[in-house]
Amino acid sequence: MSQTGNPGGNQRVRTRPAGSERALSESYDTALLDLDGVVYAGGKAIAHAVESLATARSGGMHLAYVTNNALRTPDAVADHLTELGIPTGPSDVITSAQAVARLVSEQVPVGARVLVVGGEGLRVALRERGLEPVESADDDPVAVVQGYGGPELAWGRFAEACYAIARGVPWFASNTDLTIPSGRGIAPGNGAAVEVVRIATGAEPQVAGKPLPPMHRETILRTGAERALVVGDRLDTDIEGAFNGGVDSLLVLTGVTDGAQLLAARPEHRPTYVDADLRGMLRGQPEVEQVGEGFGCGGWVASVRGEALVLEGEGAAVDGLRALCAVAWAAGGDGVCGLDGGKVLARLGL
Protein backbone atom coordinates (compact mmCIF):
# COMPACT_ATOMS: atom_id res chain seq x y z
CA MET A 1 0.00 0.00 0.00
CA SER A 2 2.81 2.40 -0.77
CA GLN A 3 2.19 5.86 -2.14
CA THR A 4 4.25 8.25 -4.22
CA GLY A 5 5.02 11.93 -4.28
CA ASN A 6 5.21 12.76 -0.58
CA PRO A 7 6.68 16.24 -0.24
CA GLY A 8 8.40 15.49 3.06
CA GLY A 9 10.48 12.68 1.58
CA ASN A 10 9.83 10.33 4.53
CA GLN A 11 13.49 9.59 5.12
CA ARG A 12 14.03 6.50 7.25
CA VAL A 13 16.27 8.24 9.80
CA ARG A 14 14.97 11.79 10.09
CA THR A 15 17.40 14.26 11.66
CA ARG A 16 15.30 17.42 11.48
CA PRO A 17 11.69 18.47 10.85
CA ALA A 18 11.00 19.05 7.18
CA GLY A 19 9.98 22.33 5.56
CA SER A 20 7.28 22.93 2.95
CA GLU A 21 6.83 26.00 0.76
CA ARG A 22 3.18 25.10 0.11
CA ALA A 23 0.45 24.70 2.69
CA LEU A 24 0.24 21.08 3.82
CA SER A 25 -3.43 21.01 2.85
CA GLU A 26 -2.32 21.69 -0.72
CA SER A 27 0.65 19.32 -0.75
CA TYR A 28 -1.30 16.25 0.39
CA ASP A 29 -4.61 14.97 -0.93
CA THR A 30 -5.80 13.29 2.28
CA ALA A 31 -5.36 13.98 5.98
CA LEU A 32 -5.58 10.89 8.20
CA LEU A 33 -6.49 12.55 11.49
CA ASP A 34 -6.37 11.07 14.94
CA LEU A 35 -9.25 12.21 17.16
CA ASP A 36 -8.43 12.41 20.89
CA GLY A 37 -5.85 15.15 21.44
CA VAL A 38 -6.03 16.34 17.83
CA VAL A 39 -9.65 17.15 16.95
CA TYR A 40 -11.24 16.98 20.39
CA ALA A 41 -10.40 16.43 24.05
CA GLY A 42 -12.90 15.28 26.66
CA GLY A 43 -15.51 15.24 23.90
CA LYS A 44 -15.10 18.97 23.14
CA ALA A 45 -13.43 20.44 20.06
CA ILE A 46 -9.84 21.61 20.53
CA ALA A 47 -9.17 25.27 19.83
CA HIS A 48 -8.83 26.08 16.09
CA ALA A 49 -9.79 22.52 15.06
CA VAL A 50 -13.24 23.22 13.60
CA GLU A 51 -12.14 26.26 11.59
CA SER A 52 -8.91 24.66 10.37
CA LEU A 53 -10.61 21.48 9.18
CA ALA A 54 -13.33 23.47 7.41
CA THR A 55 -10.72 25.50 5.55
CA ALA A 56 -8.71 22.42 4.57
CA ARG A 57 -11.84 20.66 3.35
CA SER A 58 -13.05 23.68 1.35
CA GLY A 59 -9.65 23.76 -0.36
CA GLY A 60 -10.14 20.22 -1.65
CA MET A 61 -8.35 18.13 0.98
CA HIS A 62 -10.08 14.88 1.90
CA LEU A 63 -10.41 14.50 5.67
CA ALA A 64 -10.53 11.05 7.23
CA TYR A 65 -10.66 10.32 10.94
CA VAL A 66 -8.65 7.36 12.14
CA THR A 67 -9.13 5.98 15.65
CA ASN A 68 -7.84 3.01 17.62
CA ASN A 69 -11.00 3.10 19.73
CA ALA A 70 -13.03 0.06 18.64
CA LEU A 71 -16.01 0.77 20.88
CA ARG A 72 -17.92 3.35 18.84
CA THR A 73 -19.25 2.69 15.35
CA PRO A 74 -18.29 4.96 12.44
CA ASP A 75 -21.86 6.33 12.52
CA ALA A 76 -21.50 7.32 16.18
CA VAL A 77 -18.11 8.97 15.60
CA ALA A 78 -19.42 10.83 12.53
CA ASP A 79 -22.46 12.06 14.48
CA HIS A 80 -20.20 13.33 17.29
CA LEU A 81 -17.94 15.21 14.88
CA THR A 82 -20.91 16.70 13.07
CA GLU A 83 -22.33 17.93 16.40
CA LEU A 84 -18.99 19.65 17.05
CA GLY A 85 -19.35 21.54 13.77
CA ILE A 86 -17.23 19.21 11.63
CA PRO A 87 -19.58 17.71 8.99
CA THR A 88 -18.59 14.05 8.70
CA GLY A 89 -20.10 10.92 7.17
CA PRO A 90 -19.55 7.35 8.40
CA SER A 91 -17.36 6.60 5.37
CA ASP A 92 -14.93 9.28 6.59
CA VAL A 93 -14.25 7.34 9.82
CA ILE A 94 -11.82 4.40 10.00
CA THR A 95 -11.60 2.40 13.23
CA SER A 96 -9.34 -0.33 14.53
CA ALA A 97 -12.47 -2.49 14.69
CA GLN A 98 -12.70 -2.30 10.89
CA ALA A 99 -9.00 -3.10 10.53
CA VAL A 100 -9.13 -6.14 12.80
CA ALA A 101 -12.37 -7.38 11.19
CA ARG A 102 -10.66 -7.38 7.79
CA LEU A 103 -7.65 -9.17 9.30
CA VAL A 104 -9.90 -11.89 10.71
CA SER A 105 -11.95 -12.21 7.51
CA GLU A 106 -8.80 -12.97 5.53
CA GLN A 107 -8.11 -16.01 7.73
CA VAL A 108 -11.56 -17.55 8.36
CA PRO A 109 -14.48 -18.54 6.10
CA VAL A 110 -17.37 -16.19 5.32
CA GLY A 111 -20.13 -16.65 7.85
CA ALA A 112 -17.77 -17.98 10.52
CA ARG A 113 -18.54 -17.41 14.19
CA VAL A 114 -16.27 -15.00 16.03
CA LEU A 115 -16.24 -14.59 19.82
CA VAL A 116 -16.40 -10.87 20.62
CA VAL A 117 -14.85 -9.32 23.70
CA GLY A 118 -15.69 -5.67 23.21
CA GLY A 119 -18.44 -3.30 22.17
CA GLU A 120 -20.86 -2.52 19.37
CA GLY A 121 -18.22 -1.06 17.06
CA LEU A 122 -16.52 -4.44 16.88
CA ARG A 123 -19.76 -6.33 16.23
CA VAL A 124 -20.77 -3.96 13.42
CA ALA A 125 -17.33 -4.27 11.78
CA LEU A 126 -17.44 -8.08 11.90
CA ARG A 127 -20.91 -8.19 10.35
CA GLU A 128 -19.67 -5.87 7.60
CA ARG A 129 -17.14 -8.59 6.74
CA GLY A 130 -19.79 -11.32 6.69
CA LEU A 131 -18.83 -12.80 10.06
CA GLU A 132 -21.18 -13.76 12.92
CA PRO A 133 -20.40 -12.31 16.37
CA VAL A 134 -21.03 -14.71 19.28
CA GLU A 135 -20.79 -14.32 23.03
CA SER A 136 -19.58 -17.66 24.40
CA ALA A 137 -16.62 -19.97 23.96
CA ASP A 138 -19.24 -22.73 23.75
CA ASP A 139 -20.71 -21.23 20.57
CA ASP A 140 -17.90 -22.91 18.57
CA PRO A 141 -16.12 -19.71 17.46
CA VAL A 142 -13.26 -19.99 14.97
CA ALA A 143 -11.62 -16.81 16.26
CA VAL A 144 -11.56 -14.49 19.29
CA VAL A 145 -11.55 -10.72 18.73
CA GLN A 146 -10.86 -8.30 21.56
CA GLY A 147 -11.49 -4.56 21.42
CA TYR A 148 -12.15 -1.75 23.85
CA GLY A 149 -15.49 -2.40 25.54
CA GLY A 150 -15.78 0.61 27.81
CA PRO A 151 -15.92 0.75 31.61
CA GLU A 152 -18.98 -1.51 31.77
CA LEU A 153 -17.32 -4.51 30.09
CA ALA A 154 -17.90 -7.47 32.41
CA TRP A 155 -14.95 -9.41 33.80
CA GLY A 156 -16.53 -12.63 32.59
CA ARG A 157 -15.90 -11.60 28.98
CA PHE A 158 -12.16 -12.10 29.57
CA ALA A 159 -12.87 -15.59 30.89
CA GLU A 160 -14.77 -16.49 27.70
CA ALA A 161 -11.81 -15.36 25.64
CA CYS A 162 -9.43 -17.44 27.75
CA TYR A 163 -11.59 -20.57 27.44
CA ALA A 164 -11.66 -20.29 23.64
CA ILE A 165 -7.95 -19.48 23.29
CA ALA A 166 -7.07 -22.46 25.50
CA ARG A 167 -8.92 -24.67 22.99
CA GLY A 168 -6.63 -23.42 20.22
CA VAL A 169 -8.83 -20.68 18.75
CA PRO A 170 -6.74 -17.85 17.24
CA TRP A 171 -6.84 -14.52 19.07
CA PHE A 172 -7.02 -11.06 17.50
CA ALA A 173 -6.91 -7.60 19.12
CA SER A 174 -8.06 -4.31 17.66
CA ASN A 175 -5.18 -2.45 19.33
CA THR A 176 -2.94 -2.55 22.38
CA ASP A 177 -3.09 1.05 23.67
CA LEU A 178 -2.63 0.69 27.43
CA THR A 179 -4.58 3.87 28.22
CA ILE A 180 -7.48 5.85 26.84
CA PRO A 181 -8.34 9.49 27.66
CA SER A 182 -11.67 10.27 29.31
CA GLY A 183 -13.40 13.36 30.60
CA ARG A 184 -12.17 12.49 34.11
CA GLY A 185 -8.57 11.61 33.21
CA ILE A 186 -6.64 8.65 31.88
CA ALA A 187 -8.39 5.26 32.04
CA PRO A 188 -7.23 1.70 31.19
CA GLY A 189 -7.39 1.06 27.46
CA ASN A 190 -7.77 -2.09 25.40
CA GLY A 191 -4.09 -2.89 25.82
CA ALA A 192 -4.60 -3.25 29.56
CA ALA A 193 -7.46 -5.68 28.92
CA VAL A 194 -5.35 -7.58 26.38
CA GLU A 195 -2.70 -8.02 29.09
CA VAL A 196 -5.28 -9.72 31.32
CA VAL A 197 -5.94 -12.36 28.66
CA ARG A 198 -2.26 -12.65 27.76
CA ILE A 199 -1.28 -13.32 31.38
CA ALA A 200 -4.03 -15.91 31.81
CA THR A 201 -3.35 -17.79 28.56
CA GLY A 202 0.30 -17.16 27.65
CA ALA A 203 -0.93 -16.52 24.11
CA GLU A 204 -0.10 -13.64 21.77
CA PRO A 205 -2.78 -11.88 19.69
CA GLN A 206 -2.57 -10.68 16.13
CA VAL A 207 -2.97 -6.90 16.43
CA ALA A 208 -4.46 -4.59 13.80
CA GLY A 209 -4.51 -1.03 15.15
CA LYS A 210 -2.03 1.82 15.02
CA PRO A 211 0.94 1.76 14.69
CA LEU A 212 0.81 -1.58 12.85
CA PRO A 213 0.41 -2.03 9.07
CA PRO A 214 -3.16 -3.48 9.05
CA MET A 215 -4.55 -0.16 10.26
CA HIS A 216 -2.67 1.86 7.67
CA ARG A 217 -3.77 -0.55 4.96
CA GLU A 218 -7.39 -0.12 6.06
CA THR A 219 -7.15 3.68 5.85
CA ILE A 220 -5.66 3.61 2.36
CA LEU A 221 -8.21 1.06 1.11
CA ARG A 222 -11.11 3.08 2.46
CA THR A 223 -9.88 6.57 1.49
CA GLY A 224 -8.04 5.88 -1.77
CA ALA A 225 -5.35 8.32 -0.62
CA GLU A 226 -2.40 8.80 -2.96
CA ARG A 227 -0.53 11.44 -0.91
CA ALA A 228 -1.61 10.94 2.69
CA LEU A 229 -0.56 13.00 5.69
CA VAL A 230 -1.02 11.44 9.12
CA VAL A 231 -1.96 14.06 11.72
CA GLY A 232 -1.63 12.99 15.33
CA ASP A 233 -0.52 13.78 18.86
CA ARG A 234 1.02 10.45 19.93
CA LEU A 235 4.51 9.37 18.93
CA ASP A 236 3.99 5.66 19.61
CA THR A 237 0.77 5.26 17.60
CA ASP A 238 0.19 8.09 15.12
CA ILE A 239 3.77 8.94 14.19
CA GLU A 240 5.11 5.38 14.35
CA GLY A 241 2.11 4.27 12.28
CA ALA A 242 2.99 6.82 9.60
CA PHE A 243 6.61 5.65 9.70
CA ASN A 244 5.56 2.02 9.29
CA GLY A 245 3.23 2.97 6.43
CA GLY A 246 5.88 5.00 4.63
CA VAL A 247 3.90 8.26 4.71
CA ASP A 248 4.55 11.73 6.11
CA SER A 249 3.21 12.98 9.42
CA LEU A 250 2.34 16.16 11.29
CA LEU A 251 2.60 16.15 15.08
CA VAL A 252 0.38 18.69 16.82
CA LEU A 253 1.11 19.74 20.39
CA THR A 254 -2.52 19.74 21.58
CA GLY A 255 -2.41 16.21 22.99
CA VAL A 256 -0.19 13.92 25.04
CA THR A 257 3.28 14.52 23.57
CA ASP A 258 5.42 17.14 25.29
CA GLY A 259 8.66 18.77 24.22
CA ALA A 260 10.92 16.44 26.18
CA GLN A 261 9.36 13.35 24.60
CA LEU A 262 9.71 14.85 21.14
CA LEU A 263 13.40 15.68 21.60
CA ALA A 264 14.08 12.13 22.84
CA ALA A 265 12.15 10.50 20.00
CA ARG A 266 13.56 7.40 18.33
CA PRO A 267 13.73 7.50 14.50
CA GLU A 268 10.32 5.81 14.08
CA HIS A 269 8.78 8.41 16.40
CA ARG A 270 10.11 11.52 14.64
CA PRO A 271 7.38 13.35 12.73
CA THR A 272 7.91 14.94 9.35
CA TYR A 273 6.43 18.23 10.57
CA VAL A 274 5.77 19.78 13.98
CA ASP A 275 3.18 22.48 14.70
CA ALA A 276 1.21 23.87 17.61
CA ASP A 277 -2.28 22.83 16.43
CA LEU A 278 -4.34 22.05 13.34
CA ARG A 279 -3.71 25.48 11.86
CA GLY A 280 -0.41 23.95 10.82
CA MET A 281 -2.27 22.10 8.05
CA LEU A 282 -3.15 25.41 6.40
CA ARG A 283 0.32 26.86 6.03
CA GLY A 284 3.75 26.01 4.81
CA GLN A 285 6.34 24.74 7.23
CA PRO A 286 9.57 26.68 7.83
CA GLU A 287 12.90 25.18 6.92
CA VAL A 288 15.24 24.16 9.71
CA GLU A 289 18.70 25.12 8.50
CA GLN A 290 22.19 24.43 9.76
CA VAL A 291 23.77 27.48 11.39
CA GLY A 292 27.41 26.91 12.33
CA GLU A 293 27.41 23.84 14.57
CA GLY A 294 23.73 24.26 15.40
CA PHE A 295 20.38 24.59 13.68
CA GLY A 296 18.14 27.58 13.20
CA CYS A 297 14.41 28.08 12.63
CA GLY A 298 12.54 31.39 12.70
CA GLY A 299 14.40 33.63 15.10
CA TRP A 300 16.00 30.80 17.07
CA VAL A 301 19.34 28.97 16.91
CA ALA A 302 19.78 25.74 18.88
CA SER A 303 23.08 24.04 19.64
CA VAL A 304 24.88 21.86 22.18
CA ARG A 305 26.97 23.12 25.07
CA GLY A 306 28.54 20.40 27.17
CA GLU A 307 25.78 17.86 27.88
CA ALA A 308 22.90 20.29 27.42
CA LEU A 309 20.89 21.84 24.63
CA VAL A 310 21.06 25.64 24.40
CA LEU A 311 18.76 28.02 22.58
CA GLU A 312 19.46 31.60 21.54
CA GLY A 313 17.21 34.20 19.94
CA GLU A 314 13.48 34.80 20.11
CA GLY A 315 10.31 34.09 18.18
CA ALA A 316 7.47 31.58 18.11
CA ALA A 317 7.90 28.75 20.59
CA VAL A 318 7.21 26.09 17.97
CA ASP A 319 10.08 27.43 15.83
CA GLY A 320 12.41 27.06 18.80
CA LEU A 321 11.16 23.51 19.28
CA ARG A 322 11.80 22.69 15.61
CA ALA A 323 15.39 23.92 15.93
CA LEU A 324 15.88 21.90 19.11
CA CYS A 325 14.50 18.80 17.40
CA ALA A 326 17.15 19.12 14.70
CA VAL A 327 19.96 19.27 17.25
CA ALA A 328 18.55 16.48 19.40
CA TRP A 329 17.70 14.12 16.53
CA ALA A 330 21.07 14.67 14.87
CA ALA A 331 22.77 13.89 18.18
CA GLY A 332 20.58 10.84 18.71
CA GLY A 333 21.16 9.44 15.22
CA ASP A 334 19.46 6.07 15.03
CA GLY A 335 19.00 6.04 18.80
CA VAL A 336 17.75 8.39 21.51
CA CYS A 337 19.18 11.80 22.37
CA GLY A 338 20.38 11.98 25.98
CA LEU A 339 21.16 15.70 26.09
CA ASP A 340 19.47 17.80 28.79
CA GLY A 341 16.80 20.06 27.29
CA GLY A 342 14.92 20.96 30.45
CA LYS A 343 15.96 24.62 30.69
CA VAL A 344 15.40 25.48 27.05
CA LEU A 345 12.01 23.77 26.99
CA ALA A 346 10.99 25.70 30.10
CA ARG A 347 12.01 28.91 28.33
CA LEU A 348 9.67 27.98 25.47
CA GLY A 349 6.86 27.06 27.85
CA LEU A 350 6.98 23.47 26.65
Side-chain angles (χ1 to χ4, degrees):
M1 305 310 303
S2 62
Q3 62 181 5
T4 59
N6 268 9
N10 208 266
Q11 62 193 52
R12 301 310 288 177
V13 179
R14 180 170 296 283
T15 57
R16 71 180 81 170
S20 174
E21 292 185 1
R22 300 173 64 200
L24 299 184
S25 58
E26 298 174 359
S27 297
Y28 299 87
D29 66 356
T30 305
L32 305 177
L33 295 125
D34 183 46
L35 291 172
D36 282 309
V38 175
V39 178
Y40 54 64
K44 298 181 180 180
I46 287 174
H48 311 296
V50 174
E51 301 86 350
S52 297
L53 294 172
T55 301
R57 184 175 56 250
S58 66
M61 191 180 212
H62 179 202
L63 306 180
Y65 302 93
V66 185
T67 176
N68 261 359
N69 190 331
L71 177 60
R72 294 197 294 172
T73 65
D75 293 83
V77 175
D79 287 347
H80 180 201
L81 290 170
T82 300
E83 290 172 0
L84 294 177
I86 305 168
T88 307
S91 62
D92 297 321
V93 179
I94 300 94
T95 73
S96 64
Q98 294 171 321
V100 76
R102 187 185 297 272
L103 190 62
V104 174
S105 71
E106 293 170 341
Q107 300 180 41
V108 304
V110 174
R113 295 180 175 186
V114 178
L115 174 60
V116 174
V117 181
E120 185 61 17
L122 199 50
R123 293 179 177 86
V124 168
L126 290 168
R127 293 190 189 103
E128 183 185 36
R129 290 284 148 215
L131 302 172
E132 180 184 350
V134 298
E135 302 301 313
S136 171
D138 296 333
D139 290 331
D140 297 323
V142 300
V144 175
V145 180
Q146 187 172 0
Y148 182 65
E152 305 305 319
L153 185 66
W155 187 258
R157 303 306 303 146
F158 303 140
E160 292 298 326
C162 293
Y163 300 149
I165 293 167
R167 296 170 188 172
V169 175
W171 176 30
F172 298 80
S174 63
N175 67 295
T176 53
D177 296 6
L178 291 174
T179 61
I180 188 168
S182 76
R184 297 175 60 193
I186 300 299
N190 191 55
V194 166
E195 286 302 309
V196 171
V197 177
R198 190 200 311 268
I199 291 168
T201 63
E204 292 289 335
Q206 295 184 51
V207 183
K210 295 184 287 187
L212 298 173
M215 187 66 170
H216 182 71
R217 180 179 61 150
E218 192 71 19
T219 64
I220 299 302
L221 287 171
R222 287 181 179 269
T223 64
E226 295 183 0
R227 300 185 315 282
L229 177 70
V230 169
V231 184
D233 71 311
R234 297 184 71 108
L235 300 181
D236 59 349
T237 54
D238 306 317
I239 305 308
E240 185 175 342
F243 179 91
N244 290 338
V247 300
D248 288 345
S249 59
L250 167 65
L251 179 84
V252 291
L253 302 174
T254 49
V256 301
T257 298
D258 61 25
Q261 292 169 328
L262 185 57
L263 297 186
R266 304 193 303 268
E268 65 269 27
H269 290 171
R270 297 171 187 168
T272 313
Y273 310 105
V274 177
D275 218 315
D277 52 56
L278 286 179
R279 290 176 294 180
M281 294 172 56
L282 308 179
R283 54 193 176 214
Q285 295 289 305
E287 294 289 342
V288 180
E289 300 177 329
Q290 188 153 9
V291 180
E293 295 183 356
F295 290 91
C297 184
W300 301 99
V301 175
S303 58
V304 178
R305 185 175 300 155
E307 297 297 320
L309 296 169
V310 295
L311 188 64
E312 300 173 305
E314 59 183 17
V318 70
D319 283 338
L321 183 60
R322 292 175 179 126
L324 289 168
C325 283
V327 175
W329 296 352
D334 59 2
V336 173
C337 174
L339 297 169
D340 181 9
K343 290 184 178 180
V344 289
L345 289 172
R347 180 183 176 188
L348 293 175
L350 299 171

